[in-house]
Amino acid sequence: MAATPGISSSSSSSSLMSYLLYFSVILTLILSSLEKGFALEENQRPRTVEPHPVSHTVELNSLLPATSCSPSSSAKGGESKESSSSSVLKVVHKHGPCSRINKNKSKTLTHAQILNQDQARVDSIHSLFNTNKSPSTTTVGKPRPSAAATIPAQSGSVLGSGNYIVNVGLGSPKKQLSLIFDTGSDLTWTQCRPCAGSCYDQKEPIFDPATSASYVNVSCNSATCSQLASATGYNPRCYTSTCIYTIGYGDRSFSVGYFGKERLSLTSTDVFDGFLFGCGQNNQGHFGGAAGLLGLGRDNISLVEQSALKYNRFFSYCLPSTSSGTGYLRFGKGGRSSKGVKFTPLVDVSDSGSFYGLNVVGISVGGKKLPISGEVFSSSGTIIDSGTVITRLQATAYRALRDAFRQQMKSYTSAPALSILDTCYDFSNVKTPTYPKISFAFGGGMTLDLDETGILYVASADQVCLAFAGNGDDSDVGIFGNVQQKRLQVVYDVGGRKIGFAPAGCP
Ligand SMILES: *[C@@H]1O[C@H](CO)[C@@H](O)[C@H](O)[C@H]1NC(C)=O
Ligand SMILES: *[C@@H]1O[C@H](CO)[C@@H](O)[C@H](O)[C@H]1NC(C)=O
Ligand SMILES: *[C@@H]1O[C@H](CO)[C@@H](O)[C@H](O)[C@H]1NC(C)=O
């Protein structure tokens, strides 16, 4: 790691600097130990052919992202005001042409890199759930007065790279920032200092609290400061009476800095004073040029909870079908009806506070229910996550899905595996491929048909893969990822304890 910039101009900054340096090294060690192998087992069980499969036939071109941004008309301008109690932000893919932080082509990740980072996020999520099963903490290094660190053996959060971003305003006057929005994280944070050392990212835009009239530090003796432990998985620290947060991600990215309060402007009219957020002094890793992260998890530090009085814990989003399209993130229900939205109960999976749980009871491929015992899903549970790219199924469930899918795709030429994706096809001579529909059955008798763009991961015309992967173990939690959420209107009615879906929510 390269040198950490001084955190203030006073001479007392050196002790915090050494804490940051020390901590960064420890964090890297901890996070690297979280990386674990990932293997899929082969299964040659024969299956009977379904005579009349229910399928999609689409133009291959429609699954490929355009090289230029094609914003949806409803989302133009970045924000819109719908009623007195809801507001809408434009959502773009971090790596797509609509993202203004994606101007340097040479820094664009390959598909294999994106998928490998996705696996790092998933490993980190799995370790969180395993931590909850058998709590363990590790005291790292010899206790020192300023640098003793008791860190949970498994870290608190997950970043990943297949993410979507929104623009919000922070401070007064407000600075527009591109933040990754993440339903699997609680703490919102932004880079208040340029990324130091081994950064993969450009260094802008950055939020500087010194240029804002409304920034306030949170004191480390406050109850607010102690809330960080549950929201981030790291105990807060103290530096000249300012509360210090730490957040580390499964891909070894991390952010350490002041816990502060600031004016957050979601739109020009929806403004929150005293919004709690992390003002990052030392940020490193794969932020893809984003200025930070907007935490939409379930802990009470999340934006959903901090804006509960206004929006009543109700938000929804739509992720665009390709990385060149735009979707939306809407806070509040406003006067809108939920017509066409089918709901399933929001469930708690294990004790993992941040994540929203779904009760998956079955999966169908090509109109045929897969022979998977309900216990496979119920014993480990499933979460929905905006930041995981590829849906992870319990190993047994994935094998059944893959076998059924392969059976119905027998007439196509296969292509090499791509990172975690083991079922790929070469469509270079196929203009309009036909592939089976996939549906999920959820608790409460709800069935969700995935959009036609939510089934395949298109790396290129000659490598189009089934966009699902299996967990190494049936006991690891399943994850309903963002490829499978494409184009769906996804509604989180957290107060009403339900999650809903409607088709064709955005282009
Ligand atoms: C793009 O990234 C490369 C590799 O990091 C760097 O050398 C180059 O200067 C960057 N170009 C611009 C325009 O920022
Ligand atoms: C916040 O705390 C840091 C560290 O103590 C200090 O350098 C900075 O000036 C404080 N900012 C404000 C606005 O009080
Ligand atoms: C979060 O919960 C704690 C403890 O229950 C409470 O003291 C605190 O006020 C809550 N914070 C917010 C932002 O709701």
Side-chain angles (χ1 to χ4, degrees):
M1 207 200 80
T4 309
I7 207 158
S8 82
S9 52
S10 76
S11 58
S12 59
S13 69
S14 61
S15 70
L16 180 61
M17 247 177 68
S18 57
Y19 161 68
L20 291 175
L21 275 165
Y22 173 81
F23 197 86
S24 307
V25 170
I26 297 302
L27 199 58
T28 305
L29 291 173
I30 298 281
L31 294 176
S32 61
S33 73
L34 292 178
E35 300 217 330
K36 60 179 181 192
F38 183 76
L40 294 168
E41 293 152 50
E42 282 301 320
N43 182 328
Q44 287 97 18
R45 246 182 310 154
R47 299 232 170 248
T48 48
V49 185
E50 180 65 23
H52 300 292
V54 185
S55 58
H56 298 286
T57 300
V58 303
E59 294 276 337
L60 184 60
N61 279 343
S62 72
L63 299 176
L64 290 162
T67 49
S68 63
C69 178
S70 44
S72 74
S73 50
S74 61
K76 262 179 197 145
E79 64 173 69
S80 66
K81 190 69 200 156
E82 298 207 321
S83 76
S84 59
S85 55
S86 75
S87 69
V88 188
L89 305 178
K90 183 173 80 174
V91 166
V92 302
H93 196 277
K94 199 172 72 174
H95 300 302
C98 296
S99 165
R100 63 194 172 98
I101 59 175
N102 186 47
K103 298 303 175 222
N104 193 338
K105 279 268 184 287
S106 67
K107 291 192 177 177
T108 306
L109 295 179
T110 65
H111 288 287
Q113 284 172 323
I114 289 172
L115 294 168
N116 291 343
Q117 283 191 25
D118 195 44
Q119 189 56 37
R121 179 180 176 102
V122 167
D123 289 343
S124 173
I125 291 173
H126 287 158
S127 66
L128 285 174
F129 280 83
N130 295 337
T131 302
N132 289 340
K133 279 173 201 156
S134 53
S136 71
T137 55
T138 306
T139 302
V140 179
K142 287 192 182 122
R144 286 196 269 145
S146 62
T150 302
I151 313 170
Q154 275 94 15
S155 72
S157 280
V158 284
L159 192 63
S161 70
N163 288 296
Y164 292 87
I165 59 168
V166 291
N167 289 320
V168 300
L170 194 67
S172 12
K174 74 179 175 195
K175 171 109 194 244
Q176 284 300 130
L177 301 173
S178 298
L179 302 181
I180 294 164
F181 81 88
D182 190 350
T183 60
S185 292
D186 298 307
L187 179 72
T188 294
W189 62 267
T190 185
Q191 298 186 42
C192 289
R193 285 266 174 149
C195 184
S198 57
C199 269
Y200 302 84
D201 302 324
Q202 62 195 72
K203 303 183 177 194
E204 302 236 35
I206 309 290
F207 175 71
D208 181 0
T211 64
S212 170
S214 46
Y215 178 84
V216 180
N217 283 326
V218 169
S219 146
C220 43
N221 299 320
S222 62
T224 309
C225 182
S226 44
Q227 279 175 234
L228 283 171
S230 69
T232 63
Y234 292 95
N235 287 325
R237 316 235 122 224
C238 203
Y239 173 67
T240 58
S241 84
T242 299
C243 180
I244 304 288
Y245 75 91
T246 300
I247 193 150
Y249 300 93
D251 63 357
R252 296 185 227 183
S253 306
F254 66 89
S255 173
V256 180
Y258 307 137
F259 192 35
K261 292 184 190 181
E262 185 50 287
R263 174 173 295 173
L264 175 71
S265 303
L266 286 184
T267 61
S268 48
T269 53
D270 284 23
V271 177
F272 297 87
D273 281 316
F275 178 73
L276 294 165
F277 80 112
C279 196
Q281 305 296 309
N282 186 1
N283 320 288
Q284 292 198 28
H286 307 277
F287 309 131
L293 183 144
L294 193 64
L296 298 179
R298 294 179 75 178
D299 189 274
N300 75 351
I301 259 174
S302 87
L303 174 57
V304 178
E305 293 301 318
Q306 290 198 61
S307 64
L309 280 179
K310 184 161 181 68
Y311 301 132
N312 201 20
R313 299 183 176 86
F314 192 105
F315 68 100
S316 58
Y317 58 71
C318 183
L319 308 177
S321 59
T322 70
S323 58
S324 56
T326 55
Y328 63 81
L329 170 62
R330 174 182 289 125
F331 291 97
K333 192 175 182 181
R336 306 169 63 85
S337 80
S338 295
K339 248 198 204 154
V341 181
K342 297 194 284 183
F343 285 96
T344 180
L346 167 61
V347 300
D348 301 315
V349 179
S350 165
D351 299 319
S352 188
S354 307
F355 290 100
Y356 298 93
L358 288 173
N359 183 12
V360 175
V361 298
I363 300 176
S364 299
V365 174
K368 191 183 174 198
K369 192 169 183 293
L370 298 174
I372 307 166
S373 125
E375 208 160 287
V376 167
F377 299 114
S378 62
S379 60
S380 54
T382 300
I383 56 167
I384 180 169
D385 184 22
S386 67
T388 295
V389 181
I390 301 295
T391 288
R392 300 307 200 282
L393 299 175
Q394 291 75 11
T396 305
Y398 176 68
R399 279 197 296 272
L401 174 116
R402 180 188 64 184
D403 291 352
F405 190 86
R406 284 183 179 173
Q407 183 63 40
Q408 296 186 29
M409 297 292 283
K410 270 195 306 203
S411 59
Y412 293 110
T413 310
S414 25
L418 175 62
S419 174
I420 55 172
L421 306 179
D422 66 358
T423 297
C424 304
Y425 299 92
D426 180 348
F427 287 158
S428 45
N429 295 314
V430 184
K431 281 216 163 59
T432 52
T434 296
Y435 49 93
K437 282 193 174 178
I438 297 183
S439 315
F440 275 67
F442 292 110
M446 194 268 261
T447 300
L448 171 68
D449 295 331
L450 300 184
D451 189 80
E452 63 190 26
T453 62
I455 293 172
L456 300 172
Y457 187 94
V458 184
S460 58
D462 61 5
Q463 200 176 27
V464 178
C465 306
L466 173 64
F468 286 82
N471 284 335
D473 194 322
D474 266 1
S475 67
D476 282 331
V477 72
I479 305 171
F480 193 73
N482 65 34
V483 169
Q484 280 64 36
Q485 297 174 46
K486 278 182 176 183
R487 293 199 72 219
L488 300 173
Q489 181 189 348
V490 187
V491 179
Y492 293 71
D493 183 352
V494 183
R497 294 198 56 83
K498 55 189 182 174
I499 292 189
F501 299 91
C506 58

